[in-house]
Amino acid sequence: MSDAQKPFLDLLHAQRVWDIELPAFDPATAPPAPLPLFHTWFAEAVAAGQAEPHTMTLATADAEGLPDVRTLMLHDADARGWHFATHATSAKGRELAARPYAALGFYWPAQGRQVRVRGPVTVCSPAESSADLHARSTGALASALVGRQSEVLGSTGELDRASDAAWQRAQEEPDAEVASWTRYVVEPREVEFFQGDARRRHVRLRYRQDGTGWERELLWP
């Protein structure tokens, strides 16, 4: 190990994991379907003071099958699945067009909990995508109006000019449309709930669709 690497490793190894009292989770009390449990855990994460509990990782694969991942916001979780939105022209939009399957990951360290969702991805209607866009803040609309997500940026000055123009338009035209803005739904085929334990006796409960409903099974940690 080089001398330059040692300070980083020392800092890395000094970090504590779940140095707090964690909630208990009895999988025998879990509901027959994953959505109600997700709603409960989300509310408990909010009550525990978890910062930005609505953020999640989205994993996709490109046309060659190479993985990609990023963090974005959950827009809803209902009987259809877990919702998010982005530009269809972005990297993730193009990847979903090529391979419409994704995985989501939520991590709520305030309670040592994770939730993982896997399944096919469907595209919502243009009307629903438009409603999603206009339910958001002026800043979110301005960001969408800038567009060109994932394209190479020539300079920060170019971004400043485009952002200023988009902000002005968003304020003047709050109903402005962005054709590429698309709402997606991950239709769950598997949903796993992970409850961390300080003694590493983690509880993992996985729901799997079996064609007629949900099968529940415990996993080794």
Side-chain angles (χ1 to χ4, degrees), residues 12-207:
L12 178 64
H13 295 158
Q15 303 311 301
R16 303 289 295 172
V17 178
W18 299 330
D19 195 14
I20 56 174
E21 184 176 349
L22 298 175
F25 172 51
D26 180 1
T29 65
L35 185 62
L37 184 55
F38 179 82
H39 286 168
T40 297
W41 275 28
F42 183 86
E44 291 175 353
V46 172
Q50 176 63 55
E52 299 183 349
H54 57 320
T55 57
M56 61 186 185
T57 55
L58 167 68
T60 56
D62 64 18
E64 287 72 44
L66 299 176
D68 202 354
V69 68
R70 74 287 288 162
T71 301
L72 70 171
M73 288 192 297
L74 177 70
H75 286 206
D76 198 0
D78 60 15
R80 294 163 57 192
W82 276 250
H83 299 232
F84 65 93
T86 188
H87 292 280
T89 53
S90 67
K92 51 188 172 294
R94 295 193 303 271
E95 288 165 0
L96 289 169
R99 293 174 177 264
Y101 206 95
L104 303 174
F106 296 85
Y107 179 46
W108 299 319
Q111 294 193 298
R113 286 175 170 174
Q114 298 180 57
V115 181
R116 300 167 61 208
V117 182
R118 299 175 67 203
V121 178
T122 59
V123 177
C124 294
S125 68
E128 192 170 3
S129 296
S130 176
D132 177 277
L133 177 64
H134 297 110
R136 307 175 76 212
S137 66
T138 300
L141 175 59
S143 178
L145 286 167
V146 171
R148 304 186 65 178
Q149 191 177 57
S150 305
E151 295 182 17
V152 175
L153 175 66
S155 69
T156 56
E158 184 180 354
L159 174 60
D160 290 341
R161 291 187 294 273
S163 295
D164 289 343
W167 266 97
Q168 182 174 347
R169 186 181 174 197
Q171 291 171 329
E172 295 174 351
E173 302 177 46
D175 295 326
E177 295 292 347
V178 180
S180 60
W181 189 257
T182 305
R183 183 158 171 152
Y184 298 87
V185 182
V186 180
E187 300 179 351
R189 296 295 179 265
E190 294 183 7
V191 184
E192 180 189 328
F193 294 84
F194 173 103
Q195 174 61 68
D197 178 82
R199 298 179 65 185
R200 303 304 189 266
R201 298 178 181 179
H202 312 311
V203 178
R204 295 177 64 188
L205 174 65
R206 180 171 64 187
Y207 290 79

Side-chain angles (χ1 to χ4, degrees), residues 5-17:
Q5 184 70 8
K6 189 175 185 305
F8 169 75
L9 286 178
D10 289 344
L11 182 62
L12 178 64
H13 295 158
Q15 303 311 301
R16 303 289 295 172
V17 178

